[in-house]
Amino acid sequence: MTTVHVLFIGAGRMARAMIAGIRRRQGPIHWDISVANHQDSARLTELTTTFRVRAQTDWRTAAEQADIIILAMPPAAHQTVLETLSHHVLPHQLVASVAAGIGVSGLASKLPEGTQCAWLMPNIAAAVGESMTLCAFGDTVTADNREKLAEILRGLGQYHVCTETQVHHLTAITGSAPAFAFQFAEALEQAATALATDETTARLLVGQMLLGSAKLLLSGRPPEELTDEVATPGGATAAGLSVLTEAQFKTRVMDAIEATNQRARALAPET
Ligand SMILES: NC(=O)C1=CN([C@@H]2O[C@H](COP(=O)(O)OP(=O)(O)OC[C@H]3O[C@@H](n4cnc5c(N)ncnc54)[C@H](OP(=O)(O)O)[C@@H]3O)[C@@H](O)[C@H]2O)C=CC1
Ligand SMILES: O=C(O)[C@@H]1CCC=N1
């Protein structure tokens, strides 16, 4: 079995979800994973014991051994880290960032010319192998490194290769929208507990309802058609849908998407 060395710089929520996803998959590669963060040593200890990863107090040492370096830290931390990394990165290595707004061109512009770069936009469901991850590759990435990264992304769930511009526009849809879905779930759970049941039951009812709805969507049927199938003409669901329409539900969702993507662009360091 091939061993591939992966270094995560940043050990927060996204790194944890990705490592959990990678460790779930029984694929053709053995992943030797190192993890570094800024200062939270308790976090590194927790990751080490849970996921068989190596904690690194100085990522520069581990960077030399890495085949793939994944930047999983806030966009604002990239400038300094990339400046240092540019003195260490080697031509055969792949540098990938999951930071919102960063862009594969932004990444490449701060590293030596020809450095192999990729920009990923996973989501938190990577932890359960159900992320919808976007991936934009830089021009210089070799077929071998594309395949290695693809193997990581298969561990996280589904992935979709697209352009950098598409990742900018779709960040809110795949990276952030799980939080919107969780807010919807929270509102439904609150209604369920206020009206009829306990919290555990409410979680099951709402979670299974969302899972079933997602499966129907993934079967390829359009949401308008599925909505019509639920809403019997003149029936109960139609009354609830009118309230959402009155509140301009779809417009508000679009506003949230735009605000998210704008903020992502603003957080990224200038190229
Ligand atoms: N959370 C999500 O669902 C998603 C997040 N992302 C992206 O993932 C990235 C991380 O987000 P998230 O995990 O939520 O954030 P967290 O705040 O949970 O984690 C950030 C991590 O980065 C580390 N860090 C900060 N500065 C540095 C530095 N200079 N050098 C090394 N490590 C550093 C922190 O270390 P310490 O704790 O020691 O300070 C921490 O481990 C962001 O760029 C975000 O845009 C992308 C898609 C989804
Ligand atoms: O909130 C954030 O900035 C990150 C980007 C996508 C999801 N979380």
Side-chain angles (χ1 to χ4, degrees):
M1 189 180 262
T2 318
T3 295
V4 175
H5 301 272
V6 181
L7 168 65
F8 280 86
I9 308 179
R13 291 161 298 183
M14 199 60 238
R16 193 182 197 286
M18 291 176 78
I19 293 166
I22 293 169
R23 284 289 185 243
R24 284 168 64 91
R25 184 171 158 84
Q26 304 292 319
I29 293 177
H30 166 69
W31 304 106
D32 182 5
I33 303 176
S34 290
V35 189
N37 64 358
H38 191 221
Q39 54 195 7
D40 185 353
S41 58
R43 177 63 164 192
L44 290 186
T45 308
E46 191 269 321
L47 290 179
T48 311
T49 43
T50 314
F51 297 113
R52 290 176 287 113
V53 298
R54 294 166 211 261
Q56 302 290 343
T57 44
D58 181 358
W59 61 258
R60 284 169 296 192
T61 321
E64 283 164 28
Q65 311 302 322
D67 299 302
I68 299 177
I69 298 169
I70 299 179
L71 308 180
M73 65 226 176
H78 276 60
Q79 182 80 31
T80 319
V81 169
L82 287 170
E83 232 167 76
T84 310
L85 184 60
S86 67
H87 300 295
H88 296 266
V89 70
L90 299 167
H92 74 275
Q93 294 175 324
L94 174 65
V95 179
S97 173
V98 302
I102 202 87
V104 69
S105 56
L107 202 55
S109 72
K110 294 183 172 54
L111 292 168
E113 201 175 338
T115 302
Q116 299 183 56
C117 296
W119 183 29
L120 309 175
M121 186 47 58
N123 72 37
I124 205 69
V128 289
E130 293 291 353
S131 172
M132 182 62 247
T133 303
L134 305 174
C135 174
F137 284 110
D139 294 338
T140 59
V141 182
T142 61
D144 183 47
N145 273 340
R146 278 174 195 251
E147 181 45 34
K148 282 180 185 145
L149 188 62
E151 188 52 28
I152 289 183
L153 301 184
R154 281 180 208 117
L156 310 192
Q158 303 279 329
Y159 71 95
H160 176 65
V161 176
C162 55
T163 66
E164 168 169 339
T165 305
Q166 286 176 309
V167 182
H168 280 300
H169 290 306
L170 297 173
T171 289
I173 309 283
T174 58
S176 300
F180 307 162
F182 296 139
Q183 283 291 288
F184 182 54
E186 188 182 335
L188 291 175
E189 285 189 15
Q190 281 172 354
T193 51
L195 297 170
T197 191
D198 61 85
E199 285 177 14
T200 309
T201 309
R203 177 71 38 86
L204 172 68
L205 302 186
V206 171
Q208 178 59 31
M209 180 280 295
L210 288 172
L211 181 66
S213 306
K215 283 192 172 175
L216 278 170
L217 276 173
L218 288 172
S219 75
R221 297 180 60 200
E224 316 84 89
E225 185 184 305
L226 291 167
T227 304
D228 278 352
E229 221 163 278
V230 181
T232 311
T237 311
L241 286 171
S242 306
V243 174
L244 292 180
T245 305
E246 185 95 347
Q248 298 193 296
F249 178 68
K250 289 183 196 166
T251 310
R252 294 285 85 82
V253 170
M254 193 61 197
D255 292 345
I257 300 293
E258 278 173 9
T260 301
N261 286 340
Q262 271 176 26
R263 178 73 178 148
R265 291 265 197 175
L267 285 173
E270 285 183 18
T271 48

